[in-house]
């Protein structure tokens, strides 16, 4: 039967995929198709065509070809049910096809030929349009086919073995309106080919190994790119130019237009790759001062209208190295090296919060101000950094493993990361003002920690905190969270337990209990029981279910944050929001008095006065006798 193999490979109780119990009665041709982007063990695209009541399916490792000269391997897989036309979601790891699946395109198609060895068809989708043919291959694997495009398009094949363009040595341009400045990082010039989710950096025609770029291809997905970049010894890729974009040669465009296209590609900002900074040429002296202060080799001045000339040297690019400075500029460069002890602050005037004009220096000042009260709460807890290298209006990324760039004076602990990209990672443990300054220099605005600490010999201790994370659903605010928090306090008081409140720095509120447990699972079991009790008592205003559709008009009591694999925002940490808000401890009187959402919003400007008035309101978490949790069904 057509779906027997499909059902045999799937456990209905473990996968969210549709698994119909019976086979379809429909026969004959269909006209619907779907293409799904499938991040399984290896990224690929699943092409599915409706036929005889099922979806005939092919896995295409590099996606659909965009021109008539490119052949792509396609692997015939089992037929899928028609419900798969609308399926997207996370297939659990360990299950067949485990990984995330999203709909890349869908629409109607016309079959011009359908046989056991050849399928010719025309796609009418939003992203996939045109004529294609699938041909059974005699030389490939038994289920191997070849996919090609059969109609002419204006798209061109991705070029190979392109050489980088070079500039001529010189001075800053005298007509700055026509130029832009781009920072050089002293890495190896590489041409990076990204096609079908695969990355191939080359230099002088030879492929360059770069393990740190393994996730760049999946992040870009089906888009074909050719990039000019620098690859540093530490594996960081600084992208400077765009030569090819999804079937289009961009070399003939001016540099300003090419760079604008780069900025429209969010996938080009990641943990080990980002765009090389570009500045107006009239800031040339200040940019050179900053570059020299950071020990970088210089900048390249590029005319805004300069085309990219592969393998050639042109006067439309000027390579500007280190230059002298006036006495007026020296103090500014000295300030640019400011920091704390061994932690240097680079680019202190860089604005990280454009709405308020808050700079990297302001972020450092905040963490220095809160260090005495923040560090005791971070002590022994592995920190996950959330970094905004280009400010809060640009993409951010999580960083757990800092082994490749952390200085030797930053303590790191190797901790297991279940469900992560690797089995373990070297997390930073921030123990000093220097450590906070190091994080601030990385634009790590948010510091997230678990509810457990690392032991003196490494290894995860049992949790010492229980957290109730109160998240307002659509139509509710922190005001409603405060009402729920007060009810949680009453429930805890029944067992002589006491919690301390804190804002999340976002929309919600959190409660923390210092506890002692013999099993790690006790904290999540206890928190879940309390959350479910509140949801049973007040089903119209409280939910203990994570699904967003169930949270409208309710406060979600998130008990799952007690999972030992999860983290919450650290106390006194900044948040990467439009304004520099802070996860701030509050009093129970402030919780009772909250009538407007702004009543419990605090920014970094508010913290010095609050600390003068209250000190550390969460100090009881450090010195109160740890409370024993009661057993709850």
């Amino acid at each position: 039967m057509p779906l027997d193999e499909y059902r045999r490979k799937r456990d209905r109780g473990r996968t969210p995929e549709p698994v119909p119990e019976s086979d379809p009665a429909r026969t004959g041709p269909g006209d619907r198709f779907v293409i799904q982007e499938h991040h399984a063990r290896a990224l690929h695209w699943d092409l599915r065509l409706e036929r005889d009541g099922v979806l005939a399916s092919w896995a295409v490792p590099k996606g659909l070809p965009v021109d008539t000269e490119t052949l792509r391997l396609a692997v015939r897989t089992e037929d899928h049910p028609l419900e798969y036309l609308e399926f997207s979601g996370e297939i659990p790891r360990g299950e067949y096809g485990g990984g995330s699946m999203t709909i890349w395109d869908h629409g109607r198609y016309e079959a011009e030929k359908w046989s056991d060895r050849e399928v010719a068809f025309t796609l009418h989708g939003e992203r996939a349009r045109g004529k294609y043919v699938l041909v059974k291959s005699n030389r490939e694997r038994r289920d191997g086919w070849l996919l090609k495009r059969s109609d002419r398009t204006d798209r061109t094949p991705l070029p190979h073995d392109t050489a980088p363009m070079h500039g001529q040595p010189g001075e800053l341009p005298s007509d700055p309106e026509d130029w832009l400045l781009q920072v050089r990082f002293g890495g190896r010039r590489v041409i990076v080919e990204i096609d079908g989710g695969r990355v191939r950096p080359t230099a002088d025609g030879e492929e360059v190994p770069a393990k740190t770029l393994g996730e760049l291809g999946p992040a870009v997905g089906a888009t074909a790119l050719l990039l000019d970049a620098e690859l540093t010894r530490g594996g960081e890729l600084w992208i400077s130019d765009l030569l090819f974009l999804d079937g289009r040669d961009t070399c003939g465009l001016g540099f300003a237009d090419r760079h604008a296209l780069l900025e429209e590609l969010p996938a080009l900002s990641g943990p080990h790759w980002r765009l090389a900074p570009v500045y107006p040429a009239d800031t040339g002296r200040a940019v050179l001062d900053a570059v020299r202060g950071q020990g970088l080799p210089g900048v390249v001045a590029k005319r805004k209208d300069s085309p990219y000339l592969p393998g050639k040297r042109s006067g439309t690019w000027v390579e500007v190295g280190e230059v002298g400075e006036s006495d007026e500029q020296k103090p500014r460069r000295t300030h640019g090296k400011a920091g704390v002890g061994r932690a240097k602050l680079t680019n202190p005037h860089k604005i990280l919060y454009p709405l308020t004009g808050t700079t990297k220096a302001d972020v450092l000042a905040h963490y220095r101000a809160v260090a005495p009260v923040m560090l005791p709460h971070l002590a022994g807890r592995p920190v996950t950094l959330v970094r905004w290298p280009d400010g809060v209006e640009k993409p951010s990324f999580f960083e757990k493993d800092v082994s490749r760039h952390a200085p030797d004076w930053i303590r790191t602990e190797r901790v297991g990361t279940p469900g992560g990209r690797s089995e373990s990672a070297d997390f930073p443990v921030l123990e000093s003002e220097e450590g906070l300054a190091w994080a601030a220099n990385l634009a790590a605005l948010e510091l997230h920690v678990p509810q457990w600490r690392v032991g003196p010999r490494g290894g995860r201790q049992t949790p010492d905190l229980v957290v109730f994370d109160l998240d307002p659903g659509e139509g509710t605010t922190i005001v409603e969270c405060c009402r729920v928090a007060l009810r949680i306090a009453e429930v805890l008081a029944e067992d002589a337990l006491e919690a301390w409140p804190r804002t999340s720095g976002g929309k919600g509120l959190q409660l923390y209990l210092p506890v002692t447990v013999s099993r790690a699972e006790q904290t999540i079991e206890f928190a879940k029981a309390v959350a479910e009790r509140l949801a049973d008592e007040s089903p119209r205003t409280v939910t203990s279910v994570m699904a967003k559709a169930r949270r409208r008009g309710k406060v979600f009591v998130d008990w799952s944050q007690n999972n030992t694999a999860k983290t919450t925002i650290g106390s006194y940490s900044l948040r990467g929001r439009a304004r520099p808000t802070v996860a701030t401890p509050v009093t129970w009187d402030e919780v009772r008095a909250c009538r407007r959402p702004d009543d419990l919003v605090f920014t970094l400007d508010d913290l010095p006065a609050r600390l003068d008035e209250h000190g550390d309101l969460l100090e009881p978490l450090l010195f109160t006798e740890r409370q024993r949790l009661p057993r709850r069904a």
Side-chain angles (χ1 to χ4, degrees), residues 9-260:
K9 292 181 175 181
R10 289 161 178 84
D11 182 342
R12 186 183 287 106
R14 292 181 55 84
T15 181
E17 299 166 281
V19 186
E21 295 185 1
S22 59
D23 284 310
R26 186 184 309 178
T27 60
D31 68 349
R32 293 177 291 176
F33 82 90
V34 67
I35 300 172
Q36 285 148 326
E37 185 172 311
H38 193 173
H39 291 257
R41 284 185 299 175
L43 172 64
H44 63 275
W45 285 263
D46 291 311
L47 168 65
R48 310 191 197 282
L49 306 175
E50 181 182 9
R51 187 81 174 180
D52 290 328
V54 295
L55 296 176
S57 299
W58 288 262
V60 186
K62 290 190 175 183
L64 270 63
V66 298
D67 58 81
T68 57
E69 298 180 33
T70 301
L71 281 176
R72 291 280 162 83
L73 171 67
V75 179
R76 185 71 163 93
T77 61
E78 73 278 8
D79 292 338
H80 282 53
L82 292 180
E83 291 88 343
Y84 231 90
L85 285 164
E86 299 179 353
F87 174 72
S88 63
E90 190 76 22
I91 302 173
R93 294 189 181 277
E95 294 301 296
Y96 176 72
S100 64
M101 182 177 286
T102 57
I103 294 177
W104 186 82
D105 197 11
H106 63 91
R108 303 284 175 175
Y109 85 100
E110 301 165 9
E112 300 171 13
K113 182 177 181 179
W114 196 293
S115 71
D116 291 341
R117 301 197 63 82
E118 183 177 353
V119 177
F121 55 97
T122 302
L123 297 180
H124 301 285
E126 294 183 6
R127 303 171 76 172
R129 290 178 172 271
K131 295 185 176 182
Y132 298 85
V133 61
L134 282 158
V135 179
K136 185 77 170 67
S137 172
N138 292 324
R139 290 181 294 178
E140 298 292 342
R141 46 192 283 179
R142 181 176 56 84
D143 50 2
W145 294 58
L146 293 175
L147 173 64
K148 69 177 183 177
R149 184 156 189 157
S150 58
D151 59 340
R152 292 289 174 184
T153 73
D154 58 358
R155 296 189 170 193
T156 59
L158 182 71
H160 302 286
D161 301 325
T162 303
M165 177 178 172
H166 295 278
Q168 295 180 352
E171 302 296 327
L172 288 170
S174 58
D175 51 343
E177 289 187 4
D178 298 328
W179 297 76
L180 293 169
L181 302 181
Q182 190 165 55
V183 177
R184 284 286 195 224
F185 289 84
R188 186 177 185 182
R189 285 287 293 283
V190 291
I191 296 296
V192 183
E193 176 186 310
I194 306 176
D195 189 20
R198 276 71 176 172
V199 178
R200 181 175 175 260
T202 62
D204 301 322
E206 298 292 330
E207 188 164 350
V208 177
K211 293 181 179 180
T212 56
L213 305 184
E215 295 300 317
L216 174 56
V220 170
T223 304
L225 296 175
L226 199 64
L227 305 171
D228 181 353
E230 289 181 272
L231 185 63
T232 69
R233 290 184 177 181
E236 304 297 315
L237 187 76
W238 292 95
I239 300 163
S240 58
D241 219 320
L242 175 68
L243 287 65
F244 183 91
L245 172 61
D246 213 15
R248 178 188 179 193
D249 186 331
T250 60
C251 291
L253 300 176
F255 172 68
D257 293 330
R258 297 196 304 274
H259 193 265

Side-chain angles (χ1 to χ4, degrees), residues 427-491:
F427 288 74
V429 180
L430 304 182
E431 302 176 303
S432 65
E433 191 175 318
E434 277 183 315
L436 291 177
W438 168 78
N441 187 53
L442 296 175
L445 305 179
E446 294 189 0
L447 309 178
H448 293 246
V449 292
Q451 314 313 319
W452 46 268
R453 300 177 190 263
V454 174
R457 297 182 181 178
R460 183 180 302 178
Q461 295 183 327
T462 54
D464 57 358
L465 293 172
V466 170
V467 59
F468 293 95
D469 188 7
L470 309 183
D471 188 6
E474 181 182 342
T476 63
T477 67
I478 197 171
V479 176
E480 287 73 26
C481 290
C482 288
R483 307 287 84 80
V484 175
L486 292 169
R487 177 58 187 142
I488 291 177
E490 293 173 353
V491 171

